[in-house]
Amino acid sequence: MFAPGHLGELTRIIPFEMVDAVLAETRALQRRVRLVPARVTVYLLLAAAMFTGLGYRQVFDRLCAGLAGLTPVRPSGSALRQARQRLGPAPMKALFDLISGPAATAAAAGWWRGLRVVAVDGTLLPVPDCAANLTVFTRQRLGNGTSGYPQLRLTALVACGTRSVIAAVFGPATIGELDYARRLATHLRAGMLLLGDRNFAATDLLGQLAATGADLLVRCESGRNLPAVARCRDGSILTRLGSLTVRVIDAEITIRTAAGTRTGHYRLLTTLTDASRHPAADLIRLYHERWEIETTYAELKATVLSGHVLWARTPDGIDQEVWALLTAYQVLRTAMTDATDSVPGTDPDRAGFTTALAAARDQLILAAGVIAGTDIDLVATIGRHVLAHLLPARRVRTKDRIVKRAISKYNARGPAIDRTTYKAIITMVCPGLSGGGLLDSCAP
């Protein structure tokens, strides 16, 4: 019998009591004693989310690697598969719902003038190409052709500053980001400031999101016709989108690097209509924080998944796997925030996600807490590693998320992409301002 205690230190982050409550709530408790009980299956799925690329039996072996003669009976691949099927996706979703939300922090990161800054965006994940998955997920037409694997669309609401996940929805890629964003609206609150890219500037969606009481700062197309109903002293204007009054901020942003200079025009829409309380210059600088969610997806897809396709070969299995992945990510983000909070003045941005993931994997293999004398707090252990390898202050970002080295021998997005990292100087100008309109000039 595989005893739950053999899972070691993972149980210190998500305790047995929490898992048992979730299993009872979702009616997933086993009715008879099994080789792989429901509680153990939950922890196995969470561990598998940290060891992507390995089969479930290999993950099981790593969980038992530090037991020194206490190794339990090794379940067959069939037994582990049946245990996952019995459990279903509902307990993993309920577990994520319990631990999701903004990570508590004393740092100023993620706050702006009393508002919690959050971001929304979507991404695609490949799922196994099999008959069962193809009943729900389809291949998508991408910029360089049709995807080789069916695609799942994940859309999340992320707290900027800590990159913790407030809420997430996912499903077939045939459903657009805007429809998934509407499902996330229930998680918005007054006191939040939501950042979004141009895809989220639809009039009806903005109205639905603003109705939650949250404020919005969303980019829109520069050529969009937005008649002014009033003008503000900082050069911005007020306009109407349906029943919603928004402020329009135009700015030219110039990036200078050793490779040359390029200038782009940004148009932002915001429900923060008081220009004296929320100056255009500050909002333009703040919009740069939207990259936090891009980095979140890079950590999930490139660091945790390492570019691998998800494992499950049924839609229910895919649901279960993605909820486990999001739960494991949230656990790591919470541990990282706790670590940086222990050193006043440390920006959570300086915590290295790769460092935290490696520390978590090492401690799971050690099976700490099972053998006498190895009672180690995993969160504290992750924290010590994070603080010992703090990253320097973040560089100014000048490009979107991009693959610097393709996973295959073929170029991911064509041969003409400059993948060099440059030092940059960014200058922002608002044409409506007097005295030349210079808002900001900064270097990393």
Side-chain angles (χ1 to χ4, degrees):
M1 177 59 62
F2 184 28
H6 291 140
L7 288 166
E9 200 58 36
L10 186 56
T11 61
R12 298 185 182 277
I13 306 172
I14 299 177
F16 290 159
E17 294 79 10
M18 180 185 294
V19 173
D20 289 345
V22 162
L23 292 173
E25 176 189 347
T26 57
R27 299 181 179 181
L29 286 168
Q30 68 274 4
R31 298 181 180 179
R32 61 185 177 87
V33 175
R34 295 183 179 273
L35 180 63
V36 187
R39 182 200 281 175
V40 172
T41 307
V42 169
Y43 289 112
L44 180 68
L45 287 164
L46 293 176
M50 296 186 189
F51 288 101
T52 52
L54 299 182
Y56 284 98
R57 294 193 84 193
Q58 293 172 301
V59 174
F60 182 93
D61 291 343
R62 278 157 178 75
L63 290 175
C64 300
L67 296 182
L70 301 177
T71 306
V73 176
R74 188 178 190 238
S76 65
S78 176
L80 294 175
R81 182 179 66 255
Q82 291 175 37
R84 301 195 312 274
Q85 291 172 345
R86 285 194 304 270
L87 186 71
M92 301 312 298
K93 181 183 185 304
L95 189 59
F96 172 77
D97 289 341
L98 277 179
I99 69 168
S100 61
T105 177
W111 290 89
W112 184 78
R113 296 177 184 254
L115 298 173
R116 183 187 292 279
V117 183
V118 301
V120 64
D121 203 359
T123 193
L124 295 174
L125 293 173
V127 304
D129 187 0
C130 60
N133 283 340
L134 285 169
T135 63
V136 175
F137 307 105
T138 59
R139 297 179 183 87
Q140 296 296 296
R141 186 172 297 280
L142 305 176
N144 55 352
T146 302
S147 61
Y149 287 95
Q151 302 287 306
L152 169 151
R153 190 183 304 280
L154 168 66
T155 304
L157 187 65
V158 169
C160 297
T162 62
R163 293 183 215 142
S164 48
V165 182
I166 298 172
V169 291
F170 58 88
T174 50
I175 300 175
E177 282 182 344
L178 272 62
D179 291 322
Y180 285 121
R182 290 184 177 93
R183 302 183 195 178
L184 292 173
T186 57
H187 298 277
L188 293 173
R189 301 285 184 272
M192 288 183 175
L193 176 58
L194 177 67
L195 310 183
D197 65 16
R198 287 175 291 192
N199 195 41
F200 297 93
T203 298
D204 60 337
L205 177 61
L206 293 179
Q208 181 179 349
L209 297 176
T212 65
D215 285 298
L216 312 176
L217 180 60
V218 178
R219 188 181 178 189
C220 78
E221 295 290 344
S222 298
R224 186 170 179 175
N225 184 24
L226 298 170
V229 298
R231 294 190 177 275
C232 304
R233 295 176 60 185
D234 64 357
S236 58
I237 65 170
L238 299 183
T239 191
R240 297 283 293 176
L241 293 177
S243 60
L244 185 65
T245 299
V246 297
R247 188 162 146 232
V248 183
I249 301 172
D250 286 293
E252 289 182 355
I253 299 182
T254 300
I255 300 176
R256 295 181 177 86
T257 70
T261 299
R262 70 179 189 269
T263 298
H265 180 233
Y266 269 63
R267 171 170 284 180
L268 303 179
L269 306 178
T270 181
T271 54
L272 299 170
T273 56
D274 188 340
S276 61
R277 292 183 58 195
H278 308 105
D282 293 349
L283 288 169
I284 293 169
R285 281 190 291 268
L286 177 67
Y287 185 72
H288 200 71
E289 294 299 309
R290 196 195 68 80
W291 288 108
E292 296 282 359
I293 195 167
E294 299 279 359
T295 303
T296 296
Y297 286 142
E299 290 166 346
L300 281 170
K301 297 169 70 172
T303 305
V304 180
L305 288 174
S306 300
H308 293 119
V309 179
L310 298 175
W311 275 97
R313 303 184 68 82
T314 65
D316 277 355
I318 290 293
D319 286 358
Q320 183 186 69
E321 187 177 355
V322 175
W323 288 123
L325 176 67
L326 292 170
T327 301
Y329 179 84
Q330 183 73 356
V331 166
L332 290 175
R333 272 287 156 201
T334 301
M336 293 164 66
T337 304
D338 288 347
T340 54
D341 254 23
S342 68
V343 181
T346 304
D347 192 327
D349 242 3
R350 297 187 60 196
F353 184 79
T354 303
T355 299
L357 178 62
R361 287 170 173 168
D362 290 345
Q363 292 306 302
L364 289 173
I365 292 174
L366 291 175
V370 176
I371 305 172
T374 62
D375 189 6
I376 304 172
D377 182 353
L378 178 56
V379 176
T381 301
I382 293 174
R384 285 194 293 273
H385 281 78
V386 166
L387 293 176
H389 301 89
L390 287 176
L391 302 174
R394 297 279 176 177
R395 295 191 302 266
V396 171
R397 181 182 285 275
T398 62
K399 292 184 179 180
D400 58 358
R401 190 171 63 236
I402 194 169
V403 177
K404 283 195 171 184
R405 183 180 64 83
I407 296 168
S408 72
K409 64 182 179 180
Y410 303 102
N411 286 312
R413 296 189 187 177
I417 296 174
D418 182 3
R419 294 179 168 85
T420 306
T421 298
Y422 296 101
K423 290 185 177 180
I425 297 176
I426 298 179
T427 302
M428 297 179 288
V429 177
C430 181
L433 284 179
S434 59
L438 181 64
L439 293 181
D440 193 37
S441 182
C442 61

